[in-house]
Amino acid sequence: MKRYLVRLTLLCGFALLSTIVQAHSLQNKLYDTGEAIPKPRVMTGFVEMQHARGVPNVPFLDEAGQTQTLKQHQGKLVLVNLWATWCVPCLREIPQLQQLKQQYQDKNIAIVPISIDEDLKEVRPFLTKHNFKDYQTWFDPTQNIEQIIPANVVPATYFFDAKGNLVGFVRGYLDWGDKDVAPYLDQLIAKYGQ
């Protein structure tokens, strides 16, 4: 009986692990993304995926408490930046992303910050304290993003094509203000924002 319970426990453990790995390995390849765009040095950590991956449509909240989804930005390249109030490198990225958002407001890209803080009441005071009062963010207190991508590193930025498929990511800090980022983003928009 003891041996049976050990086997059952191991089997259940492997089944659970398989489900977790499968959810984050995004095995649902939809199309070959073609030749990767040559990256400037600043984008070294960016991974342009060889195959676009389909992802589920999950809900987030905006600051008014309204439900939002990434689908509302279909037809554009979508840059999703995961951040948190306890993330020191996020403080460096926020003003750079805010500037990019203003610079690209008339282009075919949506820049969507998503806070993974559990206590939503802390986010707006944090942004105001650091002079980011105009920085609009979505919230993911229950980490729905985990159904799409792992949220175990912040900052992290994920790119979705015009149909909502995952096509690239960078985990960790990136200097979005570097002069070589905008030309690279322009190429990503041309390739994936249609």
Side-chain angles (χ1 to χ4, degrees), residues 26 31 33 36-37 39 43 45-55 77-81 148-150 156-161 164-171 176 184 188 191-192:
L26 298 169
Y31 67 87
T33 60
I37 300 168
K39 296 184 283 193
M43 298 296 292
F46 177 73
V47 175
E48 183 179 356
M49 298 168 68
Q50 292 180 332
H51 294 89
R53 311 296 170 99
V55 297
L77 175 69
V78 179
L79 179 160
V80 170
N81 179 259
I148 301 174
I149 49 182
T157 305
Y158 296 87
F159 287 82
F160 299 86
D161 68 13
N165 305 308
L166 182 65
V167 293
F169 61 91
V170 59
R171 290 166 50 92
W176 295 100
Y184 189 74
L188 287 172
K191 185 172 181 179
Y192 296 111

Short mmCIF file of all heavy atoms in Angstrom, two decimals, residues 26 31 33 36-37 39 43 45-55 77-81 148-150 156-161 164-171 176 184 188 191-192:
data_model
loop_
_atom_site.label_atom_id
_atom_site.label_comp_id
_atom_site.label_asym_id
_atom_site.label_seq_id
_atom_site.Cartn_x
_atom_site.Cartn_y
_atom_site.Cartn_z
N LEU A 26 4.58 27.21 -23.78
CA LEU A 26 3.79 27.70 -24.92
C LEU A 26 4.05 26.87 -26.17
O LEU A 26 4.59 27.35 -27.15
CB LEU A 26 4.09 29.18 -25.16
CG LEU A 26 3.72 30.10 -24.00
CD1 LEU A 26 4.29 31.49 -24.22
CD2 LEU A 26 2.23 30.18 -23.82
N TYR A 31 2.89 30.12 -36.18
CA TYR A 31 3.55 30.36 -37.46
C TYR A 31 5.02 30.66 -37.24
O TYR A 31 5.42 31.08 -36.17
CB TYR A 31 2.87 31.49 -38.24
CG TYR A 31 3.00 32.87 -37.63
CD1 TYR A 31 4.10 33.69 -37.91
CD2 TYR A 31 2.02 33.38 -36.79
CE1 TYR A 31 4.22 34.95 -37.36
CE2 TYR A 31 2.13 34.64 -36.24
CZ TYR A 31 3.23 35.43 -36.52
OH TYR A 31 3.34 36.69 -35.97
N THR A 33 8.12 32.85 -37.55
CA THR A 33 8.25 34.31 -37.61
C THR A 33 9.28 34.77 -38.64
O THR A 33 9.46 35.97 -38.84
CB THR A 33 8.62 34.89 -36.23
OG1 THR A 33 9.86 34.33 -35.81
CG2 THR A 33 7.52 34.62 -35.21
N ALA A 36 15.07 36.51 -37.93
CA ALA A 36 15.06 37.47 -36.81
C ALA A 36 15.65 38.80 -37.26
O ALA A 36 16.57 38.86 -38.09
CB ALA A 36 15.86 36.93 -35.64
N ILE A 37 15.11 39.87 -36.72
CA ILE A 37 15.63 41.21 -37.00
C ILE A 37 16.97 41.35 -36.29
O ILE A 37 17.07 41.03 -35.10
CB ILE A 37 14.64 42.29 -36.49
CG1 ILE A 37 13.29 42.14 -37.19
CG2 ILE A 37 15.21 43.68 -36.69
CD1 ILE A 37 12.18 42.96 -36.56
N LYS A 39 19.71 42.56 -33.98
CA LYS A 39 19.53 43.34 -32.76
C LYS A 39 20.72 44.27 -32.51
O LYS A 39 21.86 43.85 -32.68
CB LYS A 39 19.41 42.42 -31.54
CG LYS A 39 18.23 41.52 -31.54
CD LYS A 39 18.17 40.73 -30.24
CE LYS A 39 19.16 39.59 -30.25
NZ LYS A 39 18.92 38.62 -29.18
N MET A 43 19.74 45.62 -27.17
CA MET A 43 18.66 44.63 -27.21
C MET A 43 19.18 43.19 -27.09
O MET A 43 18.45 42.25 -27.39
CB MET A 43 17.85 44.77 -28.51
CG MET A 43 17.15 46.11 -28.68
SD MET A 43 15.88 46.47 -27.46
CE MET A 43 14.63 45.27 -27.86
N GLY A 45 19.48 41.15 -24.72
CA GLY A 45 18.65 40.25 -23.92
C GLY A 45 17.29 39.96 -24.53
O GLY A 45 16.55 39.11 -24.03
N PHE A 46 16.93 40.65 -25.62
CA PHE A 46 15.63 40.43 -26.25
C PHE A 46 15.65 39.15 -27.07
O PHE A 46 16.60 38.89 -27.82
CB PHE A 46 15.28 41.62 -27.16
CG PHE A 46 13.99 41.43 -27.91
CD1 PHE A 46 12.77 41.51 -27.26
CD2 PHE A 46 13.99 41.15 -29.26
CE1 PHE A 46 11.59 41.34 -27.94
CE2 PHE A 46 12.81 40.97 -29.96
CZ PHE A 46 11.61 41.07 -29.29
N VAL A 47 14.61 38.35 -26.93
CA VAL A 47 14.48 37.10 -27.69
C VAL A 47 13.31 37.26 -28.65
O VAL A 47 12.17 37.41 -28.22
CB VAL A 47 14.23 35.90 -26.75
CG1 VAL A 47 13.96 34.64 -27.56
CG2 VAL A 47 15.38 35.72 -25.79
N GLU A 48 13.61 37.27 -29.94
CA GLU A 48 12.56 37.24 -30.95
C GLU A 48 12.31 35.76 -31.23
O GLU A 48 13.20 35.05 -31.67
CB GLU A 48 12.97 37.97 -32.22
CG GLU A 48 11.89 38.00 -33.26
CD GLU A 48 12.28 38.75 -34.53
OE1 GLU A 48 13.38 39.32 -34.60
OE2 GLU A 48 11.46 38.74 -35.47
N MET A 49 11.13 35.31 -30.93
CA MET A 49 10.82 33.89 -31.00
C MET A 49 10.78 33.40 -32.45
O MET A 49 10.39 34.15 -33.36
CB MET A 49 9.50 33.62 -30.29
CG MET A 49 9.59 33.99 -28.81
SD MET A 49 8.02 34.04 -27.95
CE MET A 49 7.57 32.32 -27.96
N GLN A 50 11.19 32.17 -32.68
CA GLN A 50 11.18 31.59 -34.02
C GLN A 50 9.77 31.27 -34.48
O GLN A 50 9.50 31.23 -35.67
CB GLN A 50 12.04 30.33 -34.07
CG GLN A 50 13.50 30.60 -33.89
CD GLN A 50 14.32 29.32 -33.93
OE1 GLN A 50 13.83 28.23 -33.59
NE2 GLN A 50 15.56 29.44 -34.35
N HIS A 51 8.89 31.03 -33.52
CA HIS A 51 7.49 30.73 -33.82
C HIS A 51 6.60 31.58 -32.92
O HIS A 51 6.81 31.63 -31.72
CB HIS A 51 7.17 29.25 -33.58
CG HIS A 51 7.90 28.34 -34.50
ND1 HIS A 51 9.15 27.84 -34.21
CD2 HIS A 51 7.58 27.87 -35.72
CE1 HIS A 51 9.55 27.08 -35.21
NE2 HIS A 51 8.62 27.07 -36.14
N ALA A 52 5.60 32.21 -33.51
CA ALA A 52 4.61 32.95 -32.72
C ALA A 52 3.81 31.94 -31.93
O ALA A 52 3.51 30.84 -32.42
CB ALA A 52 3.71 33.77 -33.63
N ARG A 53 3.45 32.31 -30.71
CA ARG A 53 2.70 31.41 -29.84
C ARG A 53 1.35 32.02 -29.49
O ARG A 53 1.27 33.18 -29.10
CB ARG A 53 3.46 31.16 -28.53
CG ARG A 53 4.92 30.77 -28.71
CD ARG A 53 5.07 29.44 -29.43
NE ARG A 53 6.43 29.17 -29.80
CZ ARG A 53 7.27 28.40 -29.15
NH1 ARG A 53 6.89 27.79 -28.05
NH2 ARG A 53 8.48 28.19 -29.58
N GLY A 54 0.31 31.23 -29.65
CA GLY A 54 -1.03 31.67 -29.27
C GLY A 54 -1.15 31.71 -27.76
O GLY A 54 -0.57 30.89 -27.06
N VAL A 55 -1.88 32.70 -27.25
CA VAL A 55 -2.05 32.84 -25.81
C VAL A 55 -3.53 33.07 -25.49
O VAL A 55 -4.27 33.60 -26.31
CB VAL A 55 -1.21 34.02 -25.24
CG1 VAL A 55 0.27 33.77 -25.44
CG2 VAL A 55 -1.62 35.33 -25.85
N LEU A 77 1.30 46.12 -32.78
CA LEU A 77 2.31 45.45 -31.97
C LEU A 77 2.03 45.87 -30.54
O LEU A 77 1.80 47.05 -30.27
CB LEU A 77 3.72 45.90 -32.39
CG LEU A 77 4.86 45.36 -31.54
CD1 LEU A 77 5.05 43.86 -31.76
CD2 LEU A 77 6.15 46.10 -31.85
N VAL A 78 2.00 44.93 -29.61
CA VAL A 78 1.71 45.25 -28.22
C VAL A 78 2.94 44.93 -27.37
O VAL A 78 3.44 43.81 -27.39
CB VAL A 78 0.47 44.47 -27.69
CG1 VAL A 78 0.20 44.82 -26.24
CG2 VAL A 78 -0.75 44.78 -28.55
N LEU A 79 3.42 45.94 -26.64
CA LEU A 79 4.53 45.80 -25.72
C LEU A 79 3.93 45.80 -24.32
O LEU A 79 3.36 46.80 -23.90
CB LEU A 79 5.49 46.98 -25.91
CG LEU A 79 6.74 47.10 -25.06
CD1 LEU A 79 7.74 48.01 -25.75
CD2 LEU A 79 6.48 47.58 -23.66
N VAL A 80 4.02 44.68 -23.63
CA VAL A 80 3.51 44.56 -22.26
C VAL A 80 4.70 44.56 -21.31
O VAL A 80 5.59 43.71 -21.43
CB VAL A 80 2.69 43.27 -22.07
CG1 VAL A 80 2.38 43.03 -20.60
CG2 VAL A 80 1.42 43.32 -22.88
N ASN A 81 4.73 45.53 -20.41
CA ASN A 81 5.80 45.62 -19.44
C ASN A 81 5.27 45.27 -18.05
O ASN A 81 4.39 45.96 -17.53
CB ASN A 81 6.40 47.03 -19.43
CG ASN A 81 7.50 47.18 -18.41
OD1 ASN A 81 7.30 47.72 -17.34
ND2 ASN A 81 8.68 46.68 -18.75
N ILE A 148 -0.44 33.29 -19.43
CA ILE A 148 0.16 33.63 -20.72
C ILE A 148 1.67 33.44 -20.67
O ILE A 148 2.25 32.78 -21.53
CB ILE A 148 -0.15 35.10 -21.09
CG1 ILE A 148 -1.65 35.35 -21.17
CG2 ILE A 148 0.53 35.48 -22.40
CD1 ILE A 148 -2.02 36.80 -21.39
N ILE A 149 2.28 34.04 -19.67
CA ILE A 149 3.74 34.08 -19.55
C ILE A 149 4.12 34.02 -18.08
O ILE A 149 3.32 34.38 -17.22
CB ILE A 149 4.30 35.38 -20.17
CG1 ILE A 149 3.53 36.58 -19.66
CG2 ILE A 149 4.32 35.32 -21.67
CD1 ILE A 149 3.93 37.91 -20.21
N PRO A 150 5.33 33.57 -17.77
CA PRO A 150 5.75 33.56 -16.37
C PRO A 150 5.95 34.98 -15.85
O PRO A 150 6.48 35.83 -16.55
CB PRO A 150 7.06 32.77 -16.38
CG PRO A 150 7.50 32.69 -17.79
CD PRO A 150 6.33 32.98 -18.66
N ALA A 156 9.90 42.79 -16.79
CA ALA A 156 9.93 41.88 -17.93
C ALA A 156 9.01 42.47 -18.98
O ALA A 156 7.98 43.05 -18.65
CB ALA A 156 9.47 40.48 -17.53
N THR A 157 9.41 42.34 -20.23
CA THR A 157 8.62 42.92 -21.32
C THR A 157 8.36 41.85 -22.36
O THR A 157 9.27 41.12 -22.76
CB THR A 157 9.36 44.12 -21.94
OG1 THR A 157 9.67 45.05 -20.90
CG2 THR A 157 8.51 44.81 -22.98
N TYR A 158 7.11 41.78 -22.78
CA TYR A 158 6.68 40.79 -23.76
C TYR A 158 6.04 41.50 -24.95
O TYR A 158 5.35 42.50 -24.77
CB TYR A 158 5.68 39.81 -23.11
CG TYR A 158 6.33 39.02 -22.01
CD1 TYR A 158 6.37 39.50 -20.70
CD2 TYR A 158 6.94 37.80 -22.28
CE1 TYR A 158 7.00 38.79 -19.69
CE2 TYR A 158 7.56 37.08 -21.27
CZ TYR A 158 7.59 37.57 -19.98
OH TYR A 158 8.22 36.87 -18.99
N PHE A 159 6.28 40.97 -26.15
CA PHE A 159 5.74 41.56 -27.37
C PHE A 159 4.75 40.60 -28.01
O PHE A 159 5.02 39.41 -28.13
CB PHE A 159 6.88 41.84 -28.36
CG PHE A 159 7.74 42.99 -27.98
CD1 PHE A 159 8.77 42.84 -27.05
CD2 PHE A 159 7.53 44.25 -28.53
CE1 PHE A 159 9.57 43.91 -26.69
CE2 PHE A 159 8.32 45.32 -28.18
CZ PHE A 159 9.35 45.16 -27.25
N PHE A 160 3.62 41.16 -28.43
CA PHE A 160 2.56 40.40 -29.08
C PHE A 160 2.31 41.00 -30.45
O PHE A 160 2.29 42.23 -30.61
CB PHE A 160 1.29 40.45 -28.23
CG PHE A 160 1.47 39.85 -26.87
CD1 PHE A 160 1.95 40.62 -25.82
CD2 PHE A 160 1.19 38.52 -26.64
CE1 PHE A 160 2.15 40.07 -24.56
CE2 PHE A 160 1.39 37.97 -25.38
CZ PHE A 160 1.87 38.74 -24.34
N ASP A 161 2.09 40.15 -31.45
CA ASP A 161 1.83 40.65 -32.80
C ASP A 161 0.42 41.22 -32.90
O ASP A 161 -0.34 41.23 -31.93
CB ASP A 161 2.10 39.56 -33.85
CG ASP A 161 1.12 38.40 -33.81
OD1 ASP A 161 0.06 38.49 -33.14
OD2 ASP A 161 1.40 37.37 -34.46
N GLY A 164 -2.35 39.20 -31.51
CA GLY A 164 -2.30 38.83 -30.10
C GLY A 164 -1.43 37.65 -29.77
O GLY A 164 -1.51 37.10 -28.67
N ASN A 165 -0.56 37.25 -30.69
CA ASN A 165 0.33 36.11 -30.47
C ASN A 165 1.67 36.58 -29.91
O ASN A 165 2.20 37.60 -30.34
CB ASN A 165 0.58 35.36 -31.77
CG ASN A 165 -0.71 34.93 -32.43
OD1 ASN A 165 -1.55 34.31 -31.79
ND2 ASN A 165 -0.88 35.27 -33.69
N LEU A 166 2.21 35.84 -28.97
CA LEU A 166 3.50 36.17 -28.38
C LEU A 166 4.61 35.97 -29.40
O LEU A 166 4.72 34.90 -30.00
CB LEU A 166 3.74 35.29 -27.15
CG LEU A 166 5.03 35.52 -26.38
CD1 LEU A 166 5.05 36.91 -25.75
CD2 LEU A 166 5.19 34.45 -25.29
N VAL A 167 5.44 37.01 -29.61
CA VAL A 167 6.51 36.92 -30.61
C VAL A 167 7.89 37.24 -30.05
O VAL A 167 8.90 37.04 -30.74
CB VAL A 167 6.23 37.81 -31.85
CG1 VAL A 167 5.03 37.27 -32.63
CG2 VAL A 167 6.03 39.27 -31.46
N GLY A 168 7.97 37.77 -28.83
CA GLY A 168 9.28 38.08 -28.28
C GLY A 168 9.20 38.53 -26.84
O GLY A 168 8.12 38.84 -26.32
N PHE A 169 10.35 38.58 -26.18
CA PHE A 169 10.39 39.00 -24.79
C PHE A 169 11.80 39.37 -24.37
O PHE A 169 12.79 38.96 -24.98
CB PHE A 169 9.85 37.89 -23.87
CG PHE A 169 10.66 36.61 -23.92
CD1 PHE A 169 11.72 36.41 -23.05
CD2 PHE A 169 10.35 35.62 -24.85
CE1 PHE A 169 12.46 35.24 -23.11
CE2 PHE A 169 11.08 34.45 -24.90
CZ PHE A 169 12.14 34.25 -24.03
N VAL A 170 11.86 40.15 -23.31
CA VAL A 170 13.11 40.43 -22.61
C VAL A 170 12.78 40.40 -21.13
O VAL A 170 11.83 41.04 -20.69
CB VAL A 170 13.77 41.76 -23.04
CG1 VAL A 170 12.87 42.94 -22.80
CG2 VAL A 170 15.11 41.96 -22.36
N ARG A 171 13.53 39.61 -20.38
CA ARG A 171 13.28 39.50 -18.94
C ARG A 171 14.41 40.23 -18.23
O ARG A 171 15.57 39.93 -18.44
CB ARG A 171 13.20 38.03 -18.54
CG ARG A 171 11.91 37.41 -19.11
CD ARG A 171 11.89 35.90 -19.05
NE ARG A 171 12.22 35.29 -17.80
CZ ARG A 171 11.34 34.95 -16.85
NH1 ARG A 171 10.06 35.21 -17.03
NH2 ARG A 171 11.73 34.37 -15.76
N TRP A 176 15.39 51.45 -22.27
CA TRP A 176 14.47 51.84 -23.34
C TRP A 176 14.79 53.21 -23.92
O TRP A 176 14.32 53.57 -24.98
CB TRP A 176 13.03 51.79 -22.84
CG TRP A 176 12.60 50.42 -22.48
CD1 TRP A 176 12.53 49.89 -21.23
CD2 TRP A 176 12.23 49.36 -23.37
NE1 TRP A 176 12.12 48.57 -21.28
CE2 TRP A 176 11.94 48.23 -22.58
CE3 TRP A 176 12.12 49.27 -24.75
CZ2 TRP A 176 11.55 47.03 -23.14
CZ3 TRP A 176 11.72 48.06 -25.31
CH2 TRP A 176 11.44 46.96 -24.51
N TYR A 184 14.94 49.86 -33.66
CA TYR A 184 14.61 48.44 -33.55
C TYR A 184 13.11 48.25 -33.36
O TYR A 184 12.50 47.38 -33.99
CB TYR A 184 15.40 47.80 -32.40
CG TYR A 184 15.27 46.30 -32.36
CD1 TYR A 184 15.94 45.51 -33.29
CD2 TYR A 184 14.48 45.65 -31.42
CE1 TYR A 184 15.83 44.13 -33.28
CE2 TYR A 184 14.36 44.28 -31.40
CZ TYR A 184 15.04 43.52 -32.33
OH TYR A 184 14.91 42.15 -32.32
N LEU A 188 10.28 46.12 -35.52
CA LEU A 188 9.31 45.19 -34.93
C LEU A 188 7.88 45.56 -35.32
O LEU A 188 7.07 44.69 -35.63
CB LEU A 188 9.45 45.14 -33.41
CG LEU A 188 10.66 44.43 -32.83
CD1 LEU A 188 10.74 44.64 -31.32
CD2 LEU A 188 10.64 42.95 -33.17
N LYS A 191 7.25 44.53 -38.88
CA LYS A 191 7.15 43.08 -39.04
C LYS A 191 5.89 42.49 -38.38
O LYS A 191 5.25 41.60 -38.94
CB LYS A 191 8.40 42.41 -38.45
CG LYS A 191 8.44 40.91 -38.66
CD LYS A 191 9.79 40.34 -38.22
CE LYS A 191 9.86 38.84 -38.43
NZ LYS A 191 11.16 38.28 -38.03
N TYR A 192 5.54 43.00 -37.18
CA TYR A 192 4.48 42.35 -36.40
C TYR A 192 3.23 43.20 -36.18
O TYR A 192 2.24 42.70 -35.66
CB TYR A 192 5.02 41.92 -35.04
CG TYR A 192 6.09 40.87 -35.12
CD1 TYR A 192 7.41 41.17 -34.79
CD2 TYR A 192 5.78 39.58 -35.51
CE1 TYR A 192 8.40 40.20 -34.86
CE2 TYR A 192 6.75 38.60 -35.58
CZ TYR A 192 8.06 38.92 -35.26
OH TYR A 192 9.04 37.96 -35.32
#
